[in-house]
Amino acid sequence: MTTTVEYIRYRIAPADQEAFEQAYARGAGALAASPECVDYELARCEEEPERYILRIRWTSIDAHLNGFRKGEHFPAFFSAIRPYVTAIEEMQHYLVTGVVGPGKAADRS
């Protein structure tokens, strides 16, 4: 399946990080319920803990922009994360290339 990967980079002050993660935990239900969303992951940078990246895989860019954003699940998602929109440093869609595969650590499962 060809998917579109949306990456959203945030810079979140230490005092706001717990609330930020809780907001995304609340918004995650809307992502999980959306038929346009393949999966999602919020990660915090180890070297610079104020930096976060949200990765969302969508079935297509059109499904994200015209399905999810105009659909029934977007209002709940946006309501949860709205206070952090101004902390976005980048929000872009990417297509996965053919360069993909497991690393050696995958053998340890």
Side-chain angles (χ1 to χ4, degrees):
M1 169 192 337
T2 302
T3 58
T4 295
V5 184
E6 179 184 25
Y7 289 100
I8 307 171
R9 288 187 312 112
Y10 289 91
R11 185 180 298 267
I12 304 296
D16 297 328
Q17 291 174 354
E18 184 177 341
F20 173 75
E21 290 181 27
Q22 289 173 354
Y24 263 100
R26 287 190 306 277
L31 290 175
S34 169
E36 299 86 7
C37 179
V38 176
D39 60 20
Y40 55 88
E41 173 184 72
L42 179 65
R44 192 173 105 230
C45 182
E46 288 191 76
E47 295 85 4
E48 296 180 60
E50 71 279 3
R51 293 181 176 272
Y52 284 82
I53 293 181
L54 176 67
R55 179 193 55 80
I56 307 173
R57 285 195 311 148
W58 300 102
T59 55
S60 70
I61 191 171
D62 184 64
H64 173 219
L65 299 177
N66 294 308
F68 179 70
R69 284 200 182 168
K70 294 178 181 178
E72 65 178 304
H73 301 290
F74 182 73
F77 173 76
F78 192 70
S79 175
I81 61 97
R82 181 188 324 257
Y84 304 100
V85 170
T86 57
I88 293 174
E89 294 184 324
E90 176 189 13
M91 180 170 34
Q92 297 291 326
H93 295 91
Y94 293 82
L95 294 173
V96 176
T97 69
V99 182
V100 57
K104 185 67 174 169
D107 293 343
R108 297 183 198 163
S109 46

